[in-house]
Amino acid sequence: MPQPTTWLPTLLHKLRRDDGAGFVEYAGLLIIIAGIFVLIDQLGLDGLISGAIGDAVDRVVGG
């Protein structure tokens, strides 16, 4: 069995590398966010959400 001093640094280096992972993660997040927006639109919640936000803003500014 190889000594841990030879393979452990190599393993740790490979685990810390994330070359290209950033793009895949951002693409995944964009797909999830787009899915949420489509779901909100399909369920007709867009008017309800904007109304709730408008009411909250009116309460904050006292309108």
Side-chain angles (χ1 to χ4, degrees), residues 18-42:
D18 59 351
D19 299 336
F23 175 76
V24 173
E25 291 166 356
Y26 284 125
L29 282 173
L30 286 175
I31 290 170
I32 290 171
I33 291 169
I36 291 170
F37 279 110
V38 168
L39 182 66
I40 288 171
D41 185 52
Q42 293 296 318

Side-chain angles (χ1 to χ4, degrees), residues 12-23:
L12 291 175
H13 175 70
K14 288 184 186 251
L15 288 175
R16 289 186 190 132
R17 276 188 24 203
D18 59 351
D19 299 336
F23 175 76

